[in-house]
Amino acid sequence: MTPVVVRSYRPSDHSACRRLWAELSRQHNEMYGEHRDDGGAGFEEYLTRLDLSGLWVADHADDGVIGMVGLIMRGRAGEVDPVVVTITHRHKGVGRKLLQHVAAEAKHRNMTALTISPESRNIDAIRSLHAAGYDVVSSIELTMDLERHTHPRHHGLELHELPFRS
């Protein structure tokens, strides 16, 4: 495998990270049957967050920036948001490398915990995060679908013996 280095975000990474953001947005839209495409514009707003503590990229020797991870401050804890790897480089250890880097940064900053909130349908992400050490359920966000969407909802998540859709 060609070497991948995780390093701090640079202004010259902007267009690559905006493309990654757009790719992540498209994936979420496909997963939930939505049709909003911001073309990566959400990345501009993300960069203005006052609680953004760090942003790092996975830099591939041949392909350039292929992933990114951000760290949001939450008091003495942190939130990992986002973590994204371009589709052509998934399942090659790049995400794990990004997660290890952000965890090392959080430890270096004396943070007490890291949280991450994957989409409930993104089973690959949940499995990867669990393997990376995110094995404590710290909060749950439940939604009531007021629009009564006609697209099929996924079933199969059970928590405390209660069935939930995702």
Side-chain angles (χ1 to χ4, degrees), residues 52-70:
L52 180 60
S53 178
L55 182 60
W56 299 272
V57 298
D59 194 356
H60 187 276
D62 296 328
D63 298 334
V65 173
I66 59 169
M68 71 175 171
V69 64

Side-chain angles (χ1 to χ4, degrees), residues 71-143:
L71 178 61
I72 307 297
M73 293 297 296
R74 296 279 182 250
R76 292 203 50 228
E79 177 184 350
V80 177
D81 182 39
V83 60
V84 58
V85 175
T86 191
I87 195 163
T88 57
H89 287 277
R90 290 185 190 153
H91 308 291
K92 297 178 182 177
V94 177
R96 180 175 30 252
K97 202 169 203 175
L98 287 165
L99 289 169
Q100 288 170 342
H101 186 85
V102 75
E105 286 288 336
K107 287 177 187 175
H108 177 74
R109 296 168 189 210
N110 294 317
M111 292 182 168
T112 57
L114 278 178
T115 61
I116 190 164
S117 301
E119 297 293 328
S120 61
R121 285 191 198 168
N122 195 339
I123 295 167
D124 284 343
I126 292 168
R127 286 186 175 132
S128 294
L129 292 167
H130 188 270
Y134 292 85
D135 60 358
V136 177
V137 176
S138 56
S139 68
I140 301 166
E141 181 177 303
L142 301 176
T143 302

Side-chain angles (χ1 to χ4, degrees), residues 143-159:
T143 302
M144 178 185 286
D145 185 359
L146 298 175
E147 294 182 3
R148 307 286 187 236
H149 286 107
T150 57
H151 58 78
R153 297 295 232 163
H154 292 44
H155 298 274
L157 178 64
E158 189 173 297
L159 187 63

